Amino acid sequence: MTRRVAAIRDGIAREARPLRDAADLDPLVALVGDARYVLLGEASHGTSEYYTWRAELSKRLIAEHGFSFVAVEGDWPDCYRVNRWVQGYRDSGESAESVLHAFDRWPTWMWANREVERFARWMRAHNEHLPAERRAGFYGLDVYSLWDSIREVTAYLESRDPEMARQARRAYACFDPYFESEHDYARATALVPTSCEEEVVGVLRDLRRRAAGEAGRFAGDGHESYFDAEQNALIARNAELYYRTMVRGGPQSWNVRDDHMVQTLERLMRLHGPLARAIVWEHNTHVGDARFTDMARQGMFNVGQVVRERHDREGVVVVGFGSHRGSVIAAEEWGMPMQRMPVPVARAGSWEDACHEAVHGDFLLVFNGADDGGIAGLDEPWDHRAIGVVYDPSQERWGNYVPTLVPRRYDAFAFIDESHALRPLHMAIDTSDPEPPETYPSGM
């Protein structure tokens, strides 16, 4: 072991703060202070502890500091149903379990799980006696829901302007030949110089123009209802671009997706007013600043980078998560059934290996803003594990790690020595769409 590695392990051991219960989150709550954006990561989409600790911190930020909403790496229509339930909207569903069970896009386990169900029930109870303007919301940031969002837009218009609904259906009929297959549409646009871009842009433009002219019948008709419709029209526009870009390869489709997620986050902040404060739950590859990984060299940016660049003066706190070993819910291939898989011990010489060797237990690190985060020698890249929804534990030796300047990528880091697979609500998965969107490094 080199002197540098030994010094870093000693520094981790010195700075680590035990992570055992909600009171141990005090350093993170203090770090947040008056910040308006708190981005909480995860090293996989299938680990119970990541969801549980994000929920515990979010509860404190909502209850003690008035945070406005949680925005997650999930599809808007599905998550908006959860939002309606946690805010107590009429006819929003019988239970958190029933609402979450309706998530049917693979990978269902990301949000249809017991950990999220428990957090949703807490949000509902917290909101129950609050006025509408103070209730905490739950929203999806992602761009994948092209067909569902089209249906939501036309359904909204049917009840408000049937003629405009007919115009929207005619425009969206451009997608009919592809039978709700994003990948058939994407391949078709790659083969011939045609697309539905003009149609989806037109529906969004017309919806916004009509809302501006008739606010009482559109923008003002019910709490968040117009916002929901406009967001779905925006998703249709950006999803069309995403899938058309994806088929061409390269980093641009990743950037389209993360740009959409930032647009959605900023729209939510405007919706909730000048004092709004946001909590984001996404994979480390989205919230951990891309400038301090090898993503930047590949021409990729992400949510964490853009939010820091645009909103640093308002306060941005990024917390990464990782573990040394354990189990995870993932799949062998895109669209395949979910499995409970082992997570081997971290690769020797990795960030997770250093954390394990320094402290045999769960802990928090809060970095001090310096290049090395206050731990001498930590200003050089470390291999940092990243597990996607598609995972092969046998590939740990060759893949699943992202070179990372840890104290620059995050403001704090939560380490779980032995993690456990989360608990999906159901195991039946829709595998009708076997081709994955372009993701990094695998299904993020």
Side-chain angles (χ1 to χ4, degrees):
M1 180 170 59
T2 66
R3 289 184 178 179
R4 174 177 172 268
V5 172
I8 288 171
R9 289 180 181 174
D10 289 344
I12 293 172
R14 182 184 66 251
E15 298 296 330
R17 310 176 191 201
L19 185 57
R20 297 160 299 200
D21 56 43
D24 293 330
L25 295 170
D26 285 352
L28 287 183
V29 175
L31 176 66
V32 169
D34 295 328
R36 296 185 65 199
Y37 296 85
V38 176
L39 314 184
L40 306 179
E42 59 182 0
S44 87
H45 290 309
T47 299
S48 178
E49 285 83 358
Y50 303 153
Y51 285 75
T52 300
W53 281 113
R54 290 187 304 190
E56 289 303 314
L57 179 57
S58 299
K59 289 177 188 177
R60 293 195 57 182
L61 295 179
I62 292 168
E64 300 172 20
H65 298 278
F67 271 70
S68 311
F69 59 87
V70 175
V72 306
E73 188 182 339
D75 290 335
W76 175 270
D78 289 333
C79 292
Y80 193 72
R81 286 193 292 271
V82 179
N83 175 65
R84 296 185 75 252
W85 191 82
V86 301
Q87 295 206 49
Y89 286 13
R90 186 171 55 187
D91 300 324
S92 59
E94 295 182 0
S95 66
E97 180 174 356
S98 67
V99 174
L100 290 166
H101 207 281
F103 279 65
D104 59 5
R105 176 186 288 273
W106 193 95
T108 58
W109 67 87
M110 276 182 62
W111 304 111
N113 60 65
R114 294 294 176 191
E115 289 78 359
V116 173
E117 180 208 9
R118 187 167 59 243
F119 179 60
R121 286 192 278 110
W122 179 90
M123 291 189 73
R124 171 87 172 219
H126 170 79
N127 285 333
E128 189 172 8
H129 302 295
L130 294 175
E133 66 273 12
R134 290 181 51 202
R135 293 175 188 167
F138 186 97
Y139 306 96
L141 296 175
D142 229 325
V143 74
Y144 292 141
S145 60
L146 174 60
W147 312 105
D148 287 344
S149 289
I150 285 173
R151 281 189 285 272
E152 293 291 334
V153 173
T154 53
Y156 174 84
L157 290 174
E158 281 287 359
S159 63
R160 289 153 178 88
D161 190 327
E163 175 56 31
M164 190 174 177
R166 283 191 288 272
Q167 294 171 9
R169 281 197 302 274
R170 283 197 294 270
Y172 288 144
C174 178
F175 292 102
D176 288 350
Y178 309 105
F179 300 102
E180 298 202 9
S181 170
E182 295 93 341
H183 302 287
D184 286 351
Y185 172 73
R187 283 192 291 267
T189 65
L191 294 172
V192 295
T194 185
S195 77
C196 298
E197 178 183 11
E198 183 177 342
E199 286 78 3
V200 293
V201 170
V203 173
L204 177 61
R205 180 183 60 242
D206 290 347
L207 181 63
R208 286 174 167 170
R209 182 168 56 227
R210 188 67 62 88
E214 302 182 45
R217 193 149 59 97
F218 282 83
D221 64 340
H223 184 59
E224 294 191 351
S225 59
Y226 169 75
F227 184 94
D228 176 43
E230 184 185 18
Q231 180 64 26
N232 280 300
L234 177 66
I235 291 166
R237 186 193 74 178
N238 288 345
E240 186 278 333
L241 174 60
Y242 171 79
Y243 288 111
R244 182 160 42 87
T245 306
M246 179 194 73
V247 77
R248 293 174 173 83
Q252 188 55 32
S253 61
W254 171 278
N255 292 344
V256 168
R257 182 181 173 211
D258 274 46
D259 181 67
H260 170 82
M261 291 196 281
V262 174
Q263 286 184 57
T264 302
L265 176 61
E266 292 176 336
R267 278 172 45 78
L268 286 165
M269 291 293 275
R270 291 193 294 271
L271 174 71
H272 286 84
L275 301 180
R277 305 180 75 183
I279 303 166
V280 174
W281 292 11
E282 293 191 317
H283 199 280
N284 289 339
T285 51
H286 291 293
V287 301
D289 195 324
R291 293 172 295 182
F292 305 107
T293 73
D294 62 346
M295 295 170 68
R297 291 198 301 274
Q298 299 175 47
M300 304 163 82
F301 59 78
N302 68 2
V303 172
Q305 173 185 339
V306 177
V307 172
R308 275 180 166 178
E309 289 173 337
R310 293 183 183 175
H311 302 287
D312 182 62
R313 290 185 178 180
E314 300 163 68
V316 180
V317 172
V318 182
V319 183
F321 283 73
S323 66
H324 176 251
R325 66 191 185 280
S327 58
V328 68
I329 297 293
E332 293 179 347
E333 297 179 17
W334 192 270
M336 294 294 288
M338 67 180 90
Q339 300 180 38
R340 182 171 285 100
M341 297 182 178
V343 176
V345 296
R347 179 194 293 174
S350 67
W351 169 244
E352 288 75 12
D353 176 59
C355 289
H356 168 72
E357 292 298 329
V359 182
H360 292 281
D362 302 346
F363 64 85
L364 286 174
L365 283 176
V366 176
F367 302 120
N368 68 2
D371 286 353
D372 63 5
I375 299 175
L378 202 55
D379 53 354
E380 295 183 16
W382 285 71
D383 288 342
H384 176 20
R385 181 149 55 191
I387 296 173
V389 293
V390 175
Y391 180 53
D392 182 350
S394 69
Q395 296 298 308
E396 286 279 312
R397 184 179 303 173
W398 299 281
N400 302 324
Y401 287 82
V402 178
T404 297
L405 288 166
V406 178
R408 306 288 304 282
R409 187 178 182 186
Y410 310 114
D411 299 296
F413 190 81
F415 179 74
I416 310 299
D417 196 52
E418 182 174 5
S419 58
H420 301 83
L422 56 70
R423 298 170 295 161
L425 291 180
H426 49 66
M427 299 298 287
I429 317 172
D430 177 8
T431 60
S432 61
D433 190 9
E435 296 186 53
E438 184 178 78
T439 50
Y440 175 92
S442 180
M444 308 265 181

